[in-house]
Amino acid sequence: MLVLFLPLFLVFLLIGMPVFFAMLAAPGIMLFVEGMERDIALLYRNIYNGVDSFPLMAIPFFMLAGEAMNRGGITLRLVRFSQALIGHVRGGLAQVNILSSMLFAGLSGSAVADTSALGSMLIPAMEKQGYTRKFAAAVTAASSVIGPIIPPSGIMIIYAYVMGESVAALFLAGILPGVLVGVGLMSVVALMANRANLPPASQRSTWGERGRALVTAFFPLMTPVIILGGILGGAFTPTEASAVAAAYALFIGLFVLKTLKPSDLPKVFTRAAMTSAVVLLLVGAAMAFKTVVSLSYAAEQLAEFMLSLTSDPLLLLLLINLLLFVVGMFLDAGPAIIILGPILGPIFVGLGVDPVHFAMIMSVNLTVGLATPPMGLVLFVASSVSGERVETIARAILPFLAVEVLVIFLITYVPAISLAIPRFFGFA
C-alpha cells in the first residue's frame, strides 16, 4: 500500500505542485494513511540530513564560479574565440553558438545558465543575420544540455553523492559524451546550412586574430584545467576544487581582466545563493523521498518487474533509456537522479554494467530531458530570452533532439565512450 506514494507523487506533479512539495507531500500522506506517524518525523528530518554533507558544498561554489564568470563578461570572450575559430563556415553563428556552449560548460556546469547567458547574446545576433528566431532559440536550447555533461557538472556531484561514486571519475567520464553531443549538433547545423543556404558569421580569421582571441579567452578556459588537474593531481578534493574555482573566477574577474566590479559582487553572491538554495532544497527533499522508497520496497518491486520482462542486458538498457527519456520530460535531472539512481543503479550493476557507465547513461539521458517537451526547463528559458512561444521552439528543436537521442544510444551500447578517459587515469 505504501508504494502508492509514487503514483500520488506523479499526480501532484501533473496538477502543477512544485517538485519540492510534491516529493514531501506524497510520501507524507501515504505514511499517515498507513499509520506510520513515527516515520513521518524521519521523513522530514532527512531533509536537513540530505543537505548536511561536505561533498555537496561543491554545488554552491561552482554556482558562484559560473555566476562570477558570466557577470564578468567572460561569455563574450568565449563567443569571440569561437567565432574566430569557426565563424567563417556556412551557418557560422549557429556553429559558434554550439561551440560556445561546449566551452561555457567547462565554467558553469548549468544548462539554464548557458541558455540565459548565450541566448541573450546570440539569439538577437543570429536573427540579424537572417536566421529565424525559432531556429536560433532551438539551437541555443539544444546545445545548452552540454553544460551539465562536460565537467564541472552539478548533476555529476549529486549522482556521486547519492550513489557513492567518485566525482573525479564521473567528471572524466562526461568529457567524451559532452563533446560527442556537441559534434553531433554541429553536424546537423552543417547539413541544414547547406540545404537552407545559411550565412557565415564573419570572414575567415587569420591565425593572428585567432591567437589574440585565444589570449582574451585564456584565463576562463583554464578553469576546467585547474579543476580537473587539481583533483587528478591530488592537490585538492572535488569540494576544495569548487572553492578554488570560485576564488579563481572572482580573482581574474576583479584583478586580471577587471571586467567584474566590487559593486557587482552583491548581485553575484545573491544569484549564486538563490540558485544553490533551489538545488539543495531539492536534494534534501529527494533524500527524504528516498527514505520512503526504501521503506516501501519500491526498488525491489521494480527490479522484479523489469527482470520478469527480460533478462537480456541489452534489452533492459533499451527499456531503461525509454523510461529515463519519459521521466526527463517531466522531472528535472537532479531530483530524478536522486529518486531513481538508488532504484535503478543496483539492478544494472548487478547485471554487469559498470557503475560509471550507468551514471553516464542516466545523467546524459536526463540532461537531454531538459530540452524535451512538454516540460523541458531550458525550452522555457529559451522562450523567455527569445520571446518565441515554447511550442514553436519545441517543434524547431526536434532534429537536434534526434541527434541527442542517437548519442544517448551510442553512449549506452559503446561503454568505451564513457570509460576510456576514466580508465586512462586509473579509475577501474
Side-chain angles (χ1 to χ4, degrees):
M1 183 72 176
L2 182 59
V3 77
L4 292 178
F5 80 92
L6 288 172
L8 183 60
F9 169 66
L10 295 176
V11 169
F12 285 154
L13 289 182
L14 291 173
I15 64 175
M17 181 181 287
V19 175
F20 174 77
F21 295 108
M23 278 200 269
L24 298 177
I29 290 171
M30 291 311 302
L31 286 171
F32 179 78
V33 170
E34 289 290 295
M36 303 168 68
E37 288 85 356
R38 293 178 62 185
D39 289 312
I40 295 178
L42 175 64
L43 173 71
Y44 296 109
R45 189 163 60 246
N46 278 347
I47 299 173
Y48 174 78
N49 294 336
V51 297
D52 184 22
S53 165
F54 181 74
L56 287 182
M57 288 180 64
I59 292 176
F61 280 121
F62 279 131
M63 293 288 184
L64 177 58
E67 190 61 39
M69 289 281 188
N70 190 28
R71 187 77 181 183
I74 302 303
T75 307
L76 179 60
R77 292 169 180 262
L78 295 179
V79 170
R80 286 175 176 170
F81 176 55
S82 301
Q83 187 162 330
L85 290 179
I86 59 171
H88 60 279
V89 302
R90 190 169 295 283
L93 208 50
Q95 302 283 22
V96 167
N97 195 326
I98 297 167
L99 181 58
S100 298
S101 289
M102 295 171 70
L103 298 177
F104 193 77
L107 308 182
S108 73
S110 167
V112 172
D114 184 308
T115 307
S116 178
L118 293 176
S120 58
M121 182 185 307
L122 288 174
I123 290 175
M126 291 176 70
E127 198 173 3
K128 285 182 181 177
Q129 283 210 351
Y131 297 85
T132 62
R133 190 185 303 177
K134 64 180 181 181
F135 178 81
V139 170
T140 304
S143 62
S144 69
V145 303
I146 301 171
I149 303 174
I150 293 178
S153 166
I155 65 169
M156 302 295 184
I157 295 169
I158 292 172
Y159 191 99
Y161 168 62
V162 173
M163 302 297 291
E165 297 296 330
S166 164
V167 174
L170 297 189
F171 276 8
L172 291 170
I175 294 174
L176 283 182
V179 171
L180 195 57
V181 171
V183 170
L185 294 177
M186 294 175 82
S187 301
V188 173
V189 168
L191 292 173
M192 289 182 168
N194 290 327
R195 292 175 59 185
N197 198 29
L198 298 178
S202 60
Q203 298 294 322
R204 182 185 293 271
S205 299
T206 65
W207 285 107
E209 290 170 335
R210 291 172 179 171
R212 287 190 290 274
L214 175 60
V215 169
T216 62
F218 175 78
F219 287 106
L221 292 174
M222 285 299 293
T223 305
V225 176
I226 292 171
I227 293 169
L228 286 175
I231 294 173
L232 296 174
F236 33 72
T237 66
T239 306
E240 292 165 347
S242 66
V244 170
Y248 177 76
L250 292 169
F251 178 78
I252 65 169
L254 289 169
F255 303 111
V256 179
L257 302 178
K258 297 181 179 178
T259 52
L260 193 65
K261 300 175 183 177
S263 58
D264 294 326
L265 293 182
K267 289 184 179 180
V268 169
F269 280 97
T270 300
R271 285 179 61 88
M274 293 292 289
T275 308
S276 302
V278 171
V279 174
L280 291 174
L281 276 174
L282 287 171
V283 170
M287 292 302 287
F289 190 93
K290 192 176 81 166
T291 302
V292 184
V293 170
S294 300
L295 291 172
S296 67
Y297 299 101
E300 290 81 356
Q301 292 178 37
L302 180 61
E304 289 177 8
F305 173 72
M306 293 186 68
L307 292 173
S308 70
L309 296 175
T310 176
S311 58
D312 187 336
L314 298 180
L315 286 177
L316 283 172
L317 286 170
L318 174 62
L319 292 175
I320 205 62
N321 272 316
L322 295 174
L323 172 65
L324 291 173
F325 190 73
V326 173
V327 168
M329 292 180 181
F330 300 96
L331 198 59
D332 195 35
I337 283 172
I338 298 173
I339 295 166
L340 295 176
I343 298 175
L344 301 174
I347 298 174
F348 286 90
V349 172
L351 291 171
V353 178
D354 188 281
V356 173
H357 179 211
F358 183 76
M360 287 303 107
I361 294 172
M362 191 167 194
S363 299
V364 175
N365 206 320
L366 292 171
T367 299
V368 170
L370 293 171
T372 306
M375 298 294 290
L377 182 58
V378 297
L379 294 179
F380 290 91
V381 178
S383 174
S384 175
V385 171
S386 66
E388 195 68 59
R389 290 171 59 86
V390 172
E391 308 91 273
T392 306
I393 300 172
R395 286 193 293 271
I397 205 174
L398 291 178
F400 302 108
L401 281 180
V403 171
E404 290 173 344
V405 170
L406 176 61
V407 171
I408 288 171
F409 281 106
L410 284 174
I411 293 168
T412 300
Y413 292 110
V414 185
I417 295 173
S418 302
L419 300 177
I421 296 180
R423 285 175 175 168
F424 177 80
F425 284 96
F427 294 94

